[in-house]
Amino acid sequence: PLGKIANGVIVRPLTSADLVATLDATLKKQQARLKDVFDAFDSDHSGSLQISELAALLQKLMPSASPADLRFFQILLDADSDGHITYPELMTCIKEIIGASQASSERANMDVERALQKLKTLVRNNVGDMRKTFGSAAGGKLPYAQLL
């Protein structure tokens, strides 16, 4: 689902990218290290976050997080599904999220570059008759799909 309506506003579910961005902003604002934040919420000093400790961390970082968001992040972060989130599990997950985000951004840039190159070729090949390129059937516009 794209989200739900709450108080007349569409509220979208939180994503892994939201978690990383919020965590990054919090660490920068507090000038803190991730390990220090992890340890601060590891209230029983077990070296891992239990569900209640993860809930406290998420509540601090993302006050609007719902129980469903908590479950999503628990599943996302608990790589071995043992019910505990270790610091290495957290770091691995964050690295994977950042890597996926960068790869997605690079793909988007390649798509834009490819579309611009195709547009350049279309314009160059049809300089004499731009109306043919931007035909009236398309309302005088070049459809995005035609660029791909």
Side-chain angles (χ1 to χ4, degrees):
L2 297 175
K4 62 181 179 178
I5 296 180
N7 297 325
V9 177
I10 297 177
V11 179
R12 67 175 181 78
L14 295 173
T15 67
S16 56
D18 294 331
L19 175 64
V20 171
T22 303
L23 192 52
D24 182 54
T26 300
L27 293 173
K28 286 177 182 172
K29 182 178 177 183
Q30 296 178 357
Q31 296 182 346
R33 294 177 332 131
L34 181 58
K35 179 68 168 130
D36 295 336
V37 172
F38 182 91
D39 290 343
F41 284 90
D42 179 15
S43 58
D44 63 0
H45 307 290
S46 65
S48 64
L49 297 179
Q50 316 304 317
I51 187 68
S52 61
E53 295 165 330
L54 176 62
L57 174 62
L58 285 177
Q59 187 62 38
K60 175 76 172 174
L61 292 174
M62 306 168 133
S64 64
S66 69
D69 293 326
L70 173 61
R71 183 71 179 133
F72 168 75
F73 288 121
Q74 179 188 17
I75 292 168
L76 178 74
L77 297 170
D78 187 10
D80 61 7
S81 301
D82 66 355
H84 306 89
I85 298 158
T86 64
Y87 183 72
E89 284 177 318
L90 177 63
M91 287 301 299
T92 298
C93 185
I94 288 173
K95 287 176 186 176
E96 288 174 359
I97 292 166
I98 291 170
S101 176
Q102 288 172 342
S104 175
S105 178
E106 288 169 8
R107 277 191 305 276
N109 288 340
M110 288 188 313
D111 287 346
V112 169
E113 287 178 31
R114 189 171 43 245
L116 288 174
Q117 186 61 40
K118 190 165 183 181
L119 178 60
K120 180 180 173 182
T121 302
L122 283 169
V123 169
R124 184 177 290 138
N125 293 340
N126 296 293
V127 170
D129 190 3
M130 290 305 291
R131 288 187 180 164
K132 180 179 175 185
T133 303
F134 298 95
S136 61
K141 298 177 184 174
L142 184 63
Y144 180 73
Q146 200 171 341
L147 290 172
L148 301 177

